[in-house]
Amino acid sequence: MAFEQCPPLRPFSARKGKRTAPGWWWSATTGRLVHYGSGAMRLHLMLLDRDPRVSGLASRPLELRWRAPGGVCTHVPQVMLRLTDGQGVLADCTARGGLSRRQRSLAAVVGEVCAAVGWRYWVLGPVDPVYRRNVTWLSGYRHPRYHGGQQLAAALRESFADRTPLWEGVRRTGDPMVVLPALFHALWAGRLSADLGAPMHERMPVWAQTA
């Protein structure tokens, strides 16, 4: 079964006092909406959506059940991924750096289940805040409508054939109002590269990905 194409078993519920309400992330990878229930999950859906290894993405498509000394245990992994090599990945997202004893025990069980069927299990934790802000900005340009067309894409590759300051390359390419959205889309899609671990600014070096 292609779990990465399945809808959520059940939606995330809104809870009083939570800073982030449940919502939907539009995935540029799949062209579909993916449900999320927390800020940490939304963040990792965004990062996975940009990951070139990922070809499929779904929220809570399956439930695991197993017997333990205390009775039957269940767990619904937050995310199901399909990688470009065909391998499946189950993942859970957390905003904390370390796992509690219960979470470590759960991770061990889910990891064994995934290994038995040739999958992986990931626990996705905190992300560098500068990188997070940069990718959040670029995600606003992830939709194909910002591509700008093949002619503009080729012009951007030529302008940034070598490491070039962002604003210099933009002015070399054409009207900044037209070029900047296409540039940000290319950075999101990985056709252009930059050091996203440092704050973005008009002098930041940008370069074209080599084949």
Side-chain angles (χ1 to χ4, degrees):
M1 179 177 291
F3 289 107
E4 69 277 10
Q5 297 178 11
C6 294
L9 287 177
R10 53 182 178 271
F12 291 98
S13 58
R15 286 185 289 176
K16 186 176 181 180
K18 289 189 66 176
R19 294 183 61 185
T20 302
W24 295 87
W25 174 264
W26 183 81
S27 169
T29 300
T30 65
R32 298 193 300 268
L33 294 171
V34 184
H35 196 38
Y36 63 83
S38 67
M41 187 176 176
R42 181 186 183 279
L43 167 63
H44 285 291
L45 286 176
M46 176 183 70
L47 298 178
L48 292 168
D49 198 19
R50 187 175 181 265
D51 192 327
R53 298 173 297 170
V54 176
S55 63
L57 191 61
S59 168
R60 307 179 92 181
L62 57 87
E63 180 181 68
L64 303 177
R65 290 175 175 265
W66 66 95
R67 292 189 180 277
V72 176
C73 298
T74 64
H75 178 60
V76 181
Q78 291 178 317
V79 183
M80 165 70 196
L81 312 173
R82 184 68 64 181
L83 303 183
T84 53
D85 63 6
Q87 189 171 49
V89 179
L90 296 180
D92 285 304
C93 309
T94 177
R96 300 178 180 178
L99 299 179
S100 67
R101 179 181 299 179
R102 179 183 178 279
Q103 289 172 324
R104 289 195 298 270
S105 176
L106 176 64
V109 172
V110 180
E112 289 181 11
V113 172
C114 288
V117 295
W119 290 0
R120 302 181 193 176
Y121 177 59
W122 293 346
V123 178
L124 305 173
V127 177
D128 175 74
V130 174
Y131 181 78
R132 182 188 68 228
R133 286 193 294 269
N134 287 339
V135 177
T136 299
W137 172 263
L138 296 178
S139 73
Y141 297 89
R142 68 189 183 277
H143 196 279
R145 64 173 170 263
Y146 294 109
H147 181 277
Q150 294 301 325
Q151 185 174 353
L152 180 52
L156 282 169
R157 288 195 299 270
E158 182 177 350
S159 296
F160 293 99
D162 299 315
R163 295 174 69 95
T164 304
L166 184 150
W167 191 246
E168 179 181 322
V170 167
R171 295 299 297 270
R172 184 188 302 168
T173 305
D175 181 356
M177 294 294 290
V178 176
V179 175
L180 278 171
L183 168 71
F184 295 141
H185 178 79
L187 285 169
W188 164 269
R191 289 186 292 271
L192 296 179
S193 296
D195 179 11
L196 298 182
M200 294 177 64
H201 56 87
E202 64 181 14
R203 299 295 301 171
M204 66 182 292
V206 177
W207 61 95
Q209 285 278 44
T210 56

